[in-house]
């Protein structure tokens, strides 16, 4: 923490502060406000959604993969899809990698959907504001310091929810965490891009395996710099427009601004190379033009906190059920490592594992919850449970827990979990039969 040389003015005092408005943070703020807590959502960008609006256009994790798709999320995730549907801006799309049916949407309209749901719930938005420090009182997070055009401002709260993706609040508060790459190799980063004027029917007819073969051939020729050899593209809500997940930037600490700057530059350079490859070698792309680059680059993992429980690879692959379940996941372990391919490991056919509430409760620091890709999990478990449907699920649970803690005049680590579970089930959340608990 910083020792300030001047008085930092207080902007507001509230019940719950949610920092970061990605799919986890937006969901947390909506859930908290709907549960009756005065809630502020702090976001460093000028819009809500984080990765869901700045990088990607498909929610994964809504359904289990395999022969039969089973829906495993509910509540706020359903509200988001319903509102997108009212715009005619979403459709379900089978996933060819086996991650399950995805919900593809228009990310620009999703910005509006997140805003409308948050404002309708009574959330106070604070955009263009970066959390730069925390305020501690006797081991409890009592507020945050934000920086923006007005300079440093103090916000106080009874509970803070860290949905920054990088565990920024947790790190500043002194909560323990593992930095991606310290134990297992960190997942790579990707700049996604879109292309217009694509003859989608011809491009789909060419086939995925044929495209990969051409990609390998082009890379081996030395004429194209393509670090990943099995990237993908998919249709969008707009005719003749495709969205890609192809680039791969490895060995980057996403919490280091210098390293992240280099990664942003490299990601955009790779995007141009992959776009050139598609135009030169894939039928249907001859007239295609690059129309959009993700900003910022897509970061898969940085800091992962050590919570009161740590989700493991074994938990995922054995479809483990927990007594403090707050959500479910059936997504495979999807490891975007530094090689040319991607490693996949699957949860048993048609099965799901539970997400324990304890993975949202950081050790050592009180008055603090975490949700999203910085929750408490090992590298492998994280590679399964970071799907946006699950980060929405975590956010819904963390926001609800924060509000219930305020209402009950307790701290999140002391919350009676069955009360939270009853509340979540009332919202439409889904998790395993508690009579089948194995942990």
């Amino acid at each position: 923490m910083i020792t300030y040389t001047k008085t930092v003015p207080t902007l507001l005092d509230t019940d719950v502060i949610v920092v970061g408005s990605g799919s986890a943070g937006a969901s947390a703020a909506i859930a908290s406000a709907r549960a009756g807590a005065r809630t502020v959502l702090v976001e460093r960008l000028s819009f809500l959604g984080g990765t869901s609006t700045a990088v990607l256009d498909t929610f994964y994790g809504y359904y289990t993969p395999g022969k039969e798709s089973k829906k495993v999320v509910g509540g706020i995730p359903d509200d988001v899809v319903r509102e997108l549907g009212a715009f005619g801006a979403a459709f379900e799309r089978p996933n060819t990698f086996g991650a399950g049916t995805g919900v593809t949407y228009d990310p620009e309209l999703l910005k509006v959907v997140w805003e409308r749901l948050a404002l309708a719930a009574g959330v106070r938005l604070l955009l263009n504001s970066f959390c730069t420090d925390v305020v501690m009182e006797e081991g409890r997070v009592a507020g945050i310091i934000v920086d923006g055009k007005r300079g440093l401002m103090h916000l106080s709260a009874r509970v803070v929810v860290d949905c920054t993706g990088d565990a920024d609040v947790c790190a500043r508060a002194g909560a323990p965490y593992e930095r991606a790459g310290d134990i297992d190799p960190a997942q790579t980063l990707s700049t996604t891009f879109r292309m217009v004027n694509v003859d989608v029917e011809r491009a789909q007819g060419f086939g995925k395996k044929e495209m990969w073969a051409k990609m390998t051939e082009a890379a081996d020729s030395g004429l194209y710099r393509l670090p990943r050899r099995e990237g993908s593209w998919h249709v969008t809500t707009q005719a003749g427009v495709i969205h890609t997940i192809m680039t791969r930037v490895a060995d980057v600490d996403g919490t280091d601004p210098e390293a992240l700057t280099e990664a942003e530059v490299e990601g955009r350079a790779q995007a141009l190379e992959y776009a050139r490859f598609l135009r030169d070698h894939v039928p249907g792309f001859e007239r295609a033009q690059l129309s959009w680059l993700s900003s910022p680059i897509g970061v898969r993992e940085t800091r992962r906190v050590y919570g009161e429980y740590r989700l493991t690879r074994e938990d995922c692959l054995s479809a483990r059920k927990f007594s403090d379940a707050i959500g479910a996941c059936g997504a495979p372990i999807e490891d975007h490592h530094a090689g040319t391919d991607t490693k996949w490991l699957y949860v048993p056919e048609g099965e799901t594992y539970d997400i324990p509430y304890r993975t949202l409760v950081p050790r050592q620091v009180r008055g603090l919850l975490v949700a999203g890709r910085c929750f408490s999990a090992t590298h492998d478990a994280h590679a399964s449970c970071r799907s946006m449907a699950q980060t929405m699920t975590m956010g819904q649970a963390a926001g609800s827990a924060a509000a219930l803690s305020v209402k009950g005049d307790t701290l999140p680590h002391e919350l009676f979990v069955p009360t939270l579970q009853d509340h979540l089930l009332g919202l439409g959340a889904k998790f395993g039969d508690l009579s089948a608990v194995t942990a």
Side-chain angles (χ1 to χ4, degrees):
M1 293 182 292
I2 301 170
T3 300
Y4 297 96
T5 58
K6 62 179 181 179
T7 301
V8 177
T10 297
L11 176 63
L12 54 87
D13 175 75
T14 192
D15 294 327
V16 176
I17 296 172
V18 179
V19 185
S21 76
S23 51
S27 298
I30 293 165
S32 173
R34 285 180 176 177
R38 296 174 301 153
T39 305
V40 176
L41 178 56
V42 177
E43 170 54 47
R44 65 187 179 91
L45 300 177
S46 60
F47 53 86
L48 304 186
T51 294
S52 72
T53 50
V55 180
L56 296 177
D57 73 340
T58 299
F59 294 131
Y60 291 115
Y62 268 73
Y63 298 93
T64 58
K67 297 176 182 178
E68 293 184 18
S69 290
K70 181 172 68 174
K71 187 168 174 290
V72 298
V73 299
I76 290 172
D78 290 340
D79 296 339
V80 172
V81 173
R82 183 187 64 251
E83 293 300 314
L84 285 166
F87 280 116
F91 63 92
E92 292 186 355
R93 178 173 59 81
N95 180 265
T96 55
F97 281 90
T101 298
V103 180
T104 294
Y105 54 83
D106 183 327
E108 297 303 317
L109 289 174
L110 179 58
K111 293 176 183 177
V112 177
V113 167
W114 280 129
E115 283 178 355
R116 289 185 175 181
L117 288 172
L119 293 172
V123 176
R124 178 169 175 174
L125 303 181
L126 188 61
L127 304 177
N128 300 300
S129 300
F130 192 90
C131 174
T132 192
D133 203 1
V134 298
V135 177
M136 302 293 294
E137 292 181 359
E138 298 179 347
R140 180 181 73 86
V141 178
I144 63 171
I145 304 297
V146 299
D147 198 0
K149 293 293 186 180
R150 290 168 61 182
L152 298 178
M153 301 291 289
H154 170 224
L155 285 67
S156 63
R158 296 173 66 183
V159 178
V160 175
V161 186
D162 186 345
C163 298
T164 60
D166 300 320
D168 289 337
V169 179
C170 293
R172 286 164 174 74
Y177 63 86
E178 176 192 343
R179 186 173 53 194
D182 284 349
I183 298 175
D184 298 293
Q187 293 214 48
T188 56
L189 289 66
S190 293
T191 297
T192 58
F193 62 92
R194 287 189 164 204
M195 299 188 78
V196 299
N197 300 328
V198 178
D199 185 333
V200 172
E201 186 175 351
R202 287 183 63 226
Q204 287 177 325
F206 186 62
K208 176 180 66 178
K209 291 183 179 179
E210 288 75 10
M211 182 183 73
W212 290 352
K214 282 287 185 182
M215 197 176 285
T216 298
E217 181 182 324
D220 289 345
S221 73
L223 300 176
Y224 299 82
R225 189 165 64 88
L226 310 174
R228 186 181 178 192
R229 310 292 173 84
E230 37 82 288
S232 65
W233 64 267
H234 58 257
V235 297
T236 69
T237 57
Q238 299 171 320
V241 179
I242 63 94
H243 190 100
T244 70
I245 304 177
M246 289 188 172
T247 67
R248 174 161 286 172
V249 184
D251 302 320
V252 177
D253 177 359
T255 64
D256 179 343
E258 290 185 304
L260 201 53
T261 297
E262 293 177 3
E264 295 278 12
V265 173
E266 170 64 15
R268 286 187 280 269
Q270 286 187 23
L272 266 63
E273 280 288 273
Y274 279 96
R276 182 169 72 94
F277 160 78
L278 290 169
R279 277 193 301 268
D280 291 349
H281 294 285
V282 179
F285 280 87
E286 293 88 351
R287 297 178 55 252
Q289 294 178 307
L290 191 149
S291 63
W292 176 90
L293 291 160
S294 65
S295 178
I297 192 170
V299 179
R300 292 184 171 89
E301 63 172 344
T302 51
R303 303 184 186 104
R304 300 189 306 279
V305 303
Y306 283 100
E308 294 191 348
Y309 184 82
R310 200 168 192 228
L311 194 70
T312 68
R313 168 192 176 110
E314 292 73 23
D315 294 334
C316 301
L317 298 182
S318 66
R320 184 161 292 168
K321 306 298 188 289
F322 292 90
S323 61
D324 61 337
I326 50 84
C329 181
I333 294 173
E334 178 185 350
D335 189 358
H336 291 256
H337 60 97
T340 59
D341 62 351
T342 302
K343 296 177 181 177
W344 299 78
L345 287 171
Y346 291 87
V347 178
E349 173 72 28
E351 294 287 338
T352 62
Y353 60 87
D354 286 340
I355 305 168
Y357 174 63
R358 288 166 292 165
T359 64
L360 311 183
V361 183
R363 296 180 193 169
Q364 298 181 14
V365 178
R366 300 314 184 191
L368 180 63
L369 287 164
V370 63
R373 65 175 175 83
C374 49
F375 82 121
S376 180
T378 64
H379 169 81
D380 287 334
H382 173 273
S384 166
C385 206
R386 63 179 173 79
S387 296
M388 283 194 287
Q390 277 63 52
T391 59
M392 281 189 266
T393 294
M394 291 183 224
Q396 178 172 253
S400 297
L404 291 173
S405 296
V406 170
K407 184 178 181 180
D409 194 23
T410 188
L411 291 172
H413 74 285
E414 300 169 331
L415 185 65
F416 186 55
V417 174
T419 300
L420 172 62
Q421 291 172 322
D422 288 344
H423 178 83
L424 293 173
L425 290 171
L427 299 180
K430 299 178 183 294
F431 42 85
D433 182 354
L434 294 177
S435 67
V437 166
T438 56

